[in-house]
Every structure is written in structure tokens, then in C-alpha cells.
Amino acid sequence: MICFKTEEEIEIQRKSSLLVGKTLAEVARHLKPGVETIALDRIAETFIRDHHAIPGFKGYGGFPGSLCISVNDQVVHGIPGKTILKDGDIVSIDCGVLMNGFYGDSAYTFAIGEVSEEIRLLMQRTKESLYKGIEAAIEGNRIGDIGYAVQSHVEQYGYGVVRELVGHGVGRKLHEAPEVPNYGRKGNGTRLRTGMVIAIEPMVNLGARYVFQEDDGWTIRTKDGSPAAHYEHTVAVRAGKADVLSSFEEIESVIKNMNG
Ligand code: MG
Ligand code: MG
């Protein structure tokens, strides 16, 4: 069952979603070679709690972290720990917060130091595919239109779109109906209507689309060992133009400052 949100609820959810962006920006300030991923998790947890919110992932299904931190061939759901970031890594960081009864959910893939041109393009095109998906998230379209937009954008470059994990409705629960796959056919699936709030989150592999779960019960890796990128926004469906509730603005201003 889809939980439709009122305008008031969407505004509450915008605040939760914006706090996710601020948290990721705070984490971004500490991204450099030599940092342990558990240290990033602590920074995020403290930042979220200082803003009178609750880390949305901590304890979710038993997940131990406040962030999912997935390095290189890890696609999503990486557990923060003793992994040390090094120059040339790419790191996907996914964050959720619960504030005033509503979740925000957003993710960004960062380059550590200098990455290859191939990886830089993977990141750029995966982020582009997120915005293609968002363009399709308008009243009267269907869920399949979002998946089609994402899939057709990245597959033209020969990338693999992960199918085992999908976007989702988000609200009072972190994961609500409907599922929002990153693949699909135009005109297929649930009709989109104002009041739906969904997390759109392309997971894209440089190589083939196949993935497996590590023995830790969480971490998803590419089967062929190729690197993967993951970007996510929380989005309210509207007529004409989707309303992006989360933001990359602060994250990208931190990245810009660090690079120059
Ligand atoms: Mg997420
Ligand atoms: Mg999500």
C-alpha cells in the first residue's frame, strides 16, 4: 500500500532530507586518503544527533552503522569499519535520518584524490541518470518510466544497472511501497501521483550488472570486481516537475573547496 503524503508532511520530510545532505557534506570534509570508514560513521552519527535527529540506518534490520560506506567494487550497504581510504578509491556514502517522524534518504559517490577518467565518467553518468529518473517522476507517468530513463542513460555507455536492489517509497518508514527499479519499460508499473515521495537511487557498475552479497550479510559487491557508483535523492512527485527534497548543493560546495 502506498502512503500518500500531505503538503505539510512533505515539508517535514524536506527538512529530514536536507539534513541528510548536510550530514554528507560534513562527512565530505573528512574524506581523504588514510581515513578509516568507521571514523566517518562517527562524524555522521554525532552530526545527526546534534541536529535532534536519529540516524535512520543504525539498527535498521540490525545494520550497525549510521552510514552505508561502499568502496570501489562494493555497490551499496558497506559496513563502516577498519577499511582505510586511499588515493584513487571511489566511495559511495548512503545516509538516512529520521526527524519529526519522517525519513530522508540520500547517497553520493565521492572520489578520493585522483581517480581514473573511466571512473570519473562512471560517477558523472550515474549522477546524470539520477536526474533523468527525477525528470520522469511526474504525475501521470509510471514507475517504469523512471527505470527506463535511468537504464537507457547508463546502458548506452556499456555500464551494468543493478537489478537486485531498487529505490523505494519513503516516509514514516525508511522503505515503503512502491519499489522503484533502475530498469524498466515506458508506461509500465504503478501510476505516479502527487503525494508520493520516493527515493530514486541508481546503482551502476562499470562492468556487468551482476552482484553478490558478502558473508557479512550486508555488503553488496560487483561479481566481476568492477567499481560501482550510487547516487540517491528523496523526491516528491508533482505535476509537471518533480520536487527534489534532498540536496547535493552543500556536498558539492565542499568538494569544490577541497579541490581548489
Ligand atoms: Mg539510501
Ligand atoms: Mg534508499
Side-chain angles (χ1 to χ4, degrees), residues 137-140 192-195 236-243:
I138 53 171
E139 173 135 349
L192 300 171
R193 291 171 53 195
T194 295
V237 173
R238 303 266 186 208
K241 191 171 190 290
D243 184 357

Side-chain angles (χ1 to χ4, degrees), residues 57 77 94-95 105-107 166-170 174-175 199-201 203 230 232-234:
F57 298 169
H77 300 171
D94 194 347
C95 182
D105 188 7
S106 181
V166 296
H168 50 91
V170 53
L174 181 58
H175 295 117
I200 304 178
E201 49 178 315
M203 290 156 250
H230 177 218
E232 176 179 27
H233 271 315
T234 295

Side-chain angles (χ1 to χ4, degrees), residues 203-247:
M203 290 156 250
V204 179
N205 304 342
L206 184 63
R209 69 175 176 85
Y210 305 101
V211 295
F212 70 99
Q213 189 178 56
E214 280 184 38
D215 291 339
D216 64 15
W218 285 103
T219 312
I220 304 295
R221 269 187 201 267
T222 60
K223 267 195 180 155
D224 61 9
S226 66
H230 177 218
Y231 293 85
E232 176 179 27
H233 271 315
T234 295
V235 174
V237 173
R238 303 266 186 208
K241 191 171 190 290
D243 184 357
V244 183
L245 304 184
S246 48
S247 172

Side-chain angles (χ1 to χ4, degrees), residues 14-29:
R14 191 188 307 278
K15 292 202 175 80
S16 305
S17 303
L18 290 175
L19 180 57
V20 175
K22 288 183 201 304
T23 305
L24 290 172
E26 180 63 22
V27 169
R29 289 189 182 93

